[in-house]
């Protein structure tokens, strides 16, 4: 009797997770958000293949690049990463707001002030990811994680809002801020910690359809 072994599904036939990070900006030599995304590129998480891509830290170009990537890869999940250097944990963003108010210029020299991301668009979008379950999963892996109520008003928020505006068709997506690395002056989290936390967050998002009820609000 001949025994046949079922072939494993080729990795490029798997559904995808689009994971993005930004290039360096504001005088920094590196952007940890891209280093994290790059480290997870090509890995398989919960039966999905991670496709990492770098976005430019530019208001006009970043959203165009992101939308093109979504159309190209048709991912089951989109998770965008960005840098919030002063924070000490991974920050899962709850809300994207329809405003650009740049304290500094982007990498193309643009500095919009009080300009909407999408003219006529809703005031805000909520993440469609189970952010509290994701936070809990990251903490269970020993990685500091918090829920953030604001993604700021720079390019990170611009990309987050543009993503949610584009994903109204039903795909799931959201945004997580990462802190500086130890050599950049933030001693609390290494690159390995960040990679572990984002991997846990992706796995949770892919396997959790409904978020948990868990206190993670803010007083201010």
């Amino acid at each position: 009797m001949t025994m046949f072994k079922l072939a494993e599904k080729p990795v490029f036939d798997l559904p995808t997770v689009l994971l993005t990070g930004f290039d360096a900006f504001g005088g920094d030599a590196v952007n940890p958000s891209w280093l994290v995304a790059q480290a997870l590129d090509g890995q398989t998480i919960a039966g999905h293949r991670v496709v990492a891509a770098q976005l430019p830290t530019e208001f006009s170009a970043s959203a165009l690049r992101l939308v093109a990537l979504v159309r190209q890869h048709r991912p089951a999940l989109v998770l965008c990463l960005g840098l919030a250097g002063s924070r000490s944990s991974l920050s899962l963003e709850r809300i994207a707001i329809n405003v650009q108010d740049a304290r500094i210029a982007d990498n193309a020299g643009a500095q919009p002030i009080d300009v909407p991301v999408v003219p006529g668009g809703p005031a805000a979008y909520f993440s469609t990811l189970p952010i509290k379950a994701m936070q809990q999963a990251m903490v269970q892996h020993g990685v500091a994680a918090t829920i953030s109520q604001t993604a700021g008003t720079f390019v990170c928020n611009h990309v987050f809002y543009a993503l949610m505006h584009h994903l109204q068709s039903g795909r799931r997506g959201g945004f997580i801020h990462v802190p500086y690395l130890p050599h950049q002056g933030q001693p609390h989290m290494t690159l390995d910690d960040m990679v572990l936390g984002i991997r846990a967050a992706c796995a949770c998002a892919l396997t959790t359809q409904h978020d948990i009820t868990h206190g993670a609000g803010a007083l201010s």
Side-chain angles (χ1 to χ4, degrees):
M1 181 178 179
T2 303
M3 299 297 293
F4 294 94
K5 182 179 179 181
L6 294 175
E8 293 185 1
K9 192 171 185 179
V11 67
F12 289 103
D13 287 345
L14 296 175
T16 60
V17 171
L18 178 60
L19 183 64
T20 70
F22 285 100
D23 61 359
F25 72 97
D28 292 324
V30 297
N31 190 321
S33 69
W34 171 237
L35 298 181
V36 174
Q38 194 173 33
L40 289 167
D41 184 42
Q43 293 195 19
T44 300
I45 302 176
H48 292 66
R49 178 173 60 92
V50 177
V51 176
Q54 187 181 86
L55 303 180
T57 308
E58 301 175 16
F59 284 98
S60 61
S62 56
L64 293 174
R65 170 72 171 144
L66 178 60
V67 170
L69 287 164
V70 172
R71 288 173 175 164
Q72 175 186 351
H73 296 288
R74 300 185 61 81
L77 175 73
V78 184
L79 182 57
C80 297
L81 308 179
L83 174 64
S86 63
R87 301 187 190 183
S88 59
S89 64
L90 299 178
S91 302
L92 297 105
E93 298 297 345
R94 191 196 298 258
I95 306 164
I97 59 174
N98 193 15
V99 66
Q100 302 167 104
D101 193 358
R103 182 175 55 83
I104 62 173
D106 69 9
N107 284 351
Q111 192 172 358
I113 296 175
D114 298 335
V115 176
V117 179
V118 177
Y125 285 110
F126 283 86
S127 172
T128 53
L129 300 181
I131 57 173
K132 291 189 174 181
M134 292 163 68
Q135 179 206 16
Q136 189 173 85
M138 295 158 88
V139 170
Q140 288 172 349
H141 279 78
V143 179
T146 55
I147 303 298
S148 169
Q149 316 304 324
T150 174
T153 55
F154 196 52
V155 182
C156 287
N157 176 76
H158 173 93
V159 161
F160 185 17
Y161 186 94
L163 172 67
M164 304 317 299
H165 188 75
H166 180 71
L167 292 184
Q168 291 182 76
S169 58
R171 290 193 189 94
R172 304 176 82 197
F175 197 100
I176 296 179
H177 269 115
V178 306
Y180 274 139
L181 293 166
H183 76 269
Q184 295 175 297
Q186 176 54 268
H188 298 286
M189 191 169 293
T190 67
L191 178 60
D192 286 345
D193 292 333
M194 295 183 196
V195 172
L196 177 62
I198 298 302
R199 183 181 176 88
C202 286
C204 179
L206 290 167
T207 57
T208 304
Q209 292 301 311
H210 303 288
D211 207 356
I212 61 175
T213 299
H214 170 68
L219 294 176
S220 61

